[in-house]
Amino acid sequence: MSEKTHGVKTMRKSEKEQAAKRINYNLRIGAVITITMCVFILIGFVYTPYNPEAMDETQKLAGISWHHFLGCDNFGRDIFSRVLKGSGTTLLVATGTILIGTGAGIILGALTGYYGGWLDEILMRINDAIFAFPSILLALVFISLLGTGTVNIVIALGIAFIPSFARIVRSEFLRCKNMDYVKQAKLIGAGDLRIMFVHILPNTLPVLLSSVMIGFNNAVLAEAGMSYLGIGVQPPFASLGRMLSEAQAYLFTRPGYALSIGIFIILLVLGFGLLGEGIKELK
Amino acid sequence: MGTILEIKDLNIEFHDHSVPETVVFDFSMQLQEGEIVGIVGESGSGKTMTALAIAGLLSRHDITKKGQIIFKEQDLLICKRSILREFQGKDISMIFQEPMTSLNPVRKIGWQVEESLRLHENLTKEELKKRAIDALREVELPEPEKIYRQYPHQLSGGMRQRVMIASAMICNPKILIADEATTALDVTIQAQIVQLLKRLNSKKNTAILFISHDLSLVRKLCTKVIVMQNGHIVERGNTEDIYQNPQEVYTKQLIAAIPKCEKNFE
Ligand SMILES: Nc1ncnc2c1ncn2[C@@H]1O[C@H](COP(=O)(O)OP(=O)(O)OP(=O)(O)O)[C@@H](O)[C@H]1O
Ligand SMILES: [Mg+2]
């Protein structure tokens, strides 16, 4: 067919070659770290070498050995088992936070971005007001209202994360709503909700996904921070933040304790961060 | 042949500046079943605004529309939105100038062609797919099964415009509005698309409102033509009459502006 003009063809080819040359290291390394971590954590849900809550008087602050990969804590609990379980808790809290944050953020952002007008004005001013506080501070306020506990911390962090997602989604909807394909969808009689969530939303996915990854990191860090402060996950349950606060008393006698927990936090955050960057590069 | 669309004294006025600005004045026309009518005129003469009003896309609050657009005994300017949406895509379709941006970049061609069927008819997945592939074949795209599974960026401009026509025609609408549908394409493909529209028109008896700058294309395709300038209709009539014997100065200028080599085209 004469429609395939030569110019277009060669241009596409060179674009493809360029894209192939730039290997997306962020995405690859991020995926490797994240998948490894997730495998560890999933195993931790069903199997840990020791019961993470079981105390063994004879093993108090035991060093690294064949029996205890990362040694034992001040109660004689196996640190490796606790780290496995604890990362699981942290991951669950972060996932719940992101689900609430993105879910509500998508709905709010879509409505305000698509319709605009007074609804947009009101909701976005409220959003700005909430956004002005650091999310961890906001979560602290909610925790003091709701009380501590794992479910409450998910709710508190989730609410605190809504404004940033709402903003991102709204700006994406503002960008997309005047596109020709949206006009086309209106033209064939598609309803507003269908246009918003079936036609526009998939177009916001690259941006949304990379901000979900960043949000995930912030959620991991926020959970760790709050549990460290003692208002997050409550004992005897393990979470990375909790364990970090327990470990600090032995920072000099057993530096490996805090270090191994810190490394787990860093790996989690690094993996998701790189994934987010990689997804952004994919476009 | 009966009248399927009647526009009476359509006025379109913008209110987004301090002074209201009227861009279409007293536009009236009738469209008969299966007829092809051309609208020509310089840039800014209000062609697109008229077309958007018919397609029901001028619903912004800062635009005032006066007059009547009668389709199936309903006035499209004042009828309920749900009634309008019933007509959109099913009875009245439109294709735009920009085939490069009119397709959703993240959805497969097949999904997009099926969309108006999904909105207006209750069909199973297999039926949808069959209709979509038939529609793609009807607009003479090679390998419709393959194109069904492709994304817009994998197609050329001419192919995308064919896809747009396929998705506009899939519900067998009564009226197809083509707003500069060929302007962004090169000359040979323009001629092919015009041929295609003509074939679809005679096969399905769809009335076409063909908006264009290109008077030679209009002459090839349309039986009647409306000439617009600054929002007013300056002349109308059978295409050949107007080309042979233009009455208005403006029409004469437009015809004189057709490049001479067009005469031996085809
Ligand atoms: N938002 C707006 N506010 C005020 N005037 C507008 C607005 N949008 C369009 N117009 C005016 O409407 C008039 C008609 O525009 P229209 O797009 O219908 O022209 P057209 O005949 O389709 O031109 P073209 O051939 O370039 O597509 C123009 O004079 C334009 O300036
Ligand atoms: Mg126009």
Side-chain angles (χ1 to χ4, degrees):
Chain A
M1 263 222 152
S2 56
E3 285 178 24
K4 291 181 193 158
T5 47
H6 246 357
V8 173
K9 225 180 179 178
T10 45
M11 190 198 73
R12 273 205 206 122
K13 226 179 215 160
S14 71
E15 259 177 21
K16 249 186 210 162
E17 277 164 11
Q18 267 188 359
K21 256 182 220 160
R22 273 189 279 111
I23 297 174
N24 198 334
Y25 286 110
N26 284 340
L27 191 74
R28 292 189 179 186
I29 299 174
V32 169
I33 296 178
T34 308
I35 291 171
T36 321
M37 290 300 288
C38 284
V39 167
F40 263 107
I41 289 168
L42 282 179
I43 292 173
F45 280 125
V46 289
Y47 169 79
T48 49
Y50 292 86
N51 179 349
E53 271 111 54
M55 303 178 195
D56 185 349
E57 284 294 320
T58 60
Q59 296 291 321
K60 261 187 193 174
L61 289 175
I64 295 172
S65 68
W66 267 120
H67 298 289
H68 301 284
F69 292 132
L70 298 176
C72 287
D73 69 0
N74 49 319
F75 294 112
R77 297 177 293 196
D78 180 49
I79 292 177
F80 184 64
S81 303
R82 282 182 69 72
V83 167
L84 280 186
K85 257 282 185 305
S87 337
T89 314
T90 301
L91 201 69
L92 279 184
V93 170
T95 310
T97 303
I98 292 301
L99 283 181
I100 295 177
T102 41
I106 285 174
I107 293 170
L108 273 179
L111 288 175
T112 53
Y114 186 76
Y115 285 115
W118 57 266
L119 180 82
D120 181 35
E121 282 299 320
I122 295 173
L123 286 176
M124 277 299 131
R125 288 302 83 75
I126 297 174
N127 212 22
D128 285 346
I130 298 177
F131 201 60
F133 297 97
S135 46
I136 195 124
L137 195 70
L138 246 137
L140 286 181
V141 172
F142 285 118
I143 280 295
S144 58
L145 290 176
L146 299 168
T148 54
T150 313
V151 175
N152 285 348
I153 197 170
V154 171
I155 296 173
L157 282 176
I159 294 174
F161 273 62
I162 293 172
S164 60
F165 282 117
R167 271 196 176 189
I168 291 162
V169 175
R170 174 175 175 270
S171 71
E172 279 295 286
F173 268 72
L174 278 179
R175 180 177 68 81
C176 290
K177 77 169 176 187
N178 291 322
M179 298 264 186
D180 282 347
Y181 61 81
V182 174
K183 210 158 67 171
Q184 194 71 36
K186 277 185 195 155
L187 193 70
I188 57 175
D192 285 344
L193 285 179
R194 190 171 174 85
I195 291 178
M196 275 188 249
F197 294 110
V198 180
H199 289 259
I200 300 183
L201 191 60
N203 281 286
T204 70
L205 228 51
V207 175
L208 198 61
L209 227 53
S210 72
S211 56
V212 162
M213 293 300 163
I214 295 164
F216 212 89
N217 276 349
N218 294 337
V220 167
L221 293 176
E223 187 281 326
M226 292 180 71
S227 299
Y228 176 80
L229 293 174
I231 49 173
V233 175
Q234 296 300 311
F237 299 111
S239 94
L240 292 180
R242 263 219 74 71
M243 294 170 64
L244 204 58
S245 80
E246 288 166 4
Q248 72 173 344
Y250 309 95
L251 203 55
F252 295 105
T253 47
R254 276 273 163 281
Y257 188 6
L259 207 62
S260 57
I261 298 161
I263 286 172
F264 256 76
I265 296 181
I266 289 171
L267 282 180
L268 263 181
V269 171
L270 189 69
F272 285 116
L274 288 176
L275 260 189
E277 281 300 313
I279 290 170
K280 222 186 273 172
E281 271 173 42
L282 280 184
K283 255 230 114 184
Chain B
M1 280 219 295
T3 306
I4 48 166
L5 182 77
E6 182 163 19
I7 304 173
K8 288 184 200 158
D9 300 324
L10 176 70
N11 280 271
I12 301 173
E13 200 174 279
F14 277 94
H15 288 282
D16 55 357
H17 302 292
S18 49
V19 222
E21 188 187 347
T22 308
V23 296
V24 175
F25 298 89
D26 295 331
F27 184 98
S28 300
M29 70 170 289
Q30 287 188 348
L31 190 63
Q32 311 294 327
E33 230 171 86
E35 184 180 47
I36 308 184
V37 174
I39 300 182
V40 296
E42 66 195 357
S43 221
S45 54
K47 306 182 298 288
T48 298
M49 290 300 145
T50 310
L52 292 177
I54 301 170
L57 281 189
L58 284 187
S59 54
R60 280 164 42 192
H61 58 90
D62 53 3
I63 303 175
T64 319
K65 295 152 287 177
K66 290 192 214 109
Q68 287 178 312
I69 300 177
I70 313 271
F71 177 79
K72 285 195 176 168
E73 287 153 21
Q74 295 279 348
D75 184 349
L76 298 186
L77 290 181
I78 53 171
C79 72
K80 278 211 215 89
R81 184 128 184 254
S82 58
I83 297 176
L84 181 64
R85 273 178 45 199
E86 272 297 300
F87 292 148
Q88 287 177 327
K90 187 163 167 47
D91 294 316
I92 304 177
S93 279
M94 182 164 170
I95 40 179
F96 296 108
Q97 175 173 359
E98 277 303 326
M100 301 315 254
T101 55
S102 298
L103 287 164
N104 195 332
V106 302
R107 292 285 190 180
K108 288 189 178 152
I109 298 294
W111 187 90
Q112 303 194 46
V113 174
E114 286 165 358
E115 179 68 353
S116 54
L117 279 181
R118 219 176 276 126
L119 291 165
H120 297 291
E121 287 171 41
N122 259 329
L123 297 175
T124 64
K125 257 207 162 108
E126 289 74 42
E127 287 169 325
L128 281 178
K129 181 167 182 187
K130 189 179 167 296
R131 288 276 294 272
I133 288 179
D134 286 347
L136 289 172
R137 189 172 293 125
E138 208 144 64
V139 295
E140 292 151 10
L141 278 165
E143 304 181 77
E145 283 90 359
K146 184 172 150 213
I147 288 176
Y148 181 90
R149 279 178 275 112
Q150 281 179 319
Y151 286 95
H153 70 266
Q154 294 169 301
L155 306 182
S156 71
M159 291 163 93
R160 288 190 212 189
Q161 196 59 288
R162 283 173 196 265
V163 168
M164 295 313 300
I165 296 174
S167 75
M169 293 296 294
I170 195 163
C171 288
N172 298 320
K174 299 271 181 299
I175 302 170
L176 176 70
I177 304 167
D179 184 9
E180 317 260 3
T182 59
T183 307
L185 306 171
D186 72 59
V187 183
T188 44
I189 298 177
Q190 282 186 0
Q192 287 173 11
I193 297 278
V194 165
Q195 289 297 325
L196 172 67
L197 288 176
K198 208 166 192 168
R199 255 196 302 275
L200 287 173
N201 162 261
S202 53
K203 192 168 164 192
K204 304 198 164 192
N205 204 30
T206 304
I208 299 179
L209 204 56
F210 187 78
I211 298 173
S212 182
H213 289 120
D214 191 330
L215 275 80
S216 57
L217 287 182
V218 169
R219 188 176 187 179
K220 261 186 239 157
L221 183 66
C222 307
T223 47
K224 286 188 197 160
V225 64
I226 294 172
V227 184
M228 284 183 82
Q229 184 189 22
N230 295 329
H232 295 277
I233 296 181
V234 291
E235 193 165 357
R236 68 166 88 211
N238 290 326
T239 313
E240 277 314 306
D241 294 348
I242 287 194
Y243 275 77
Q244 304 294 343
N245 191 10
Q247 298 300 311
E248 297 293 321
V249 184
Y250 181 65
T251 318
K252 282 177 189 157
Q253 286 169 352
L254 279 181
I255 292 171
I258 302 177
K260 285 288 169 285
C261 62
E262 289 283 356
K263 299 251 159 72
N264 343 335
F265 191 71
E266 210 171 307

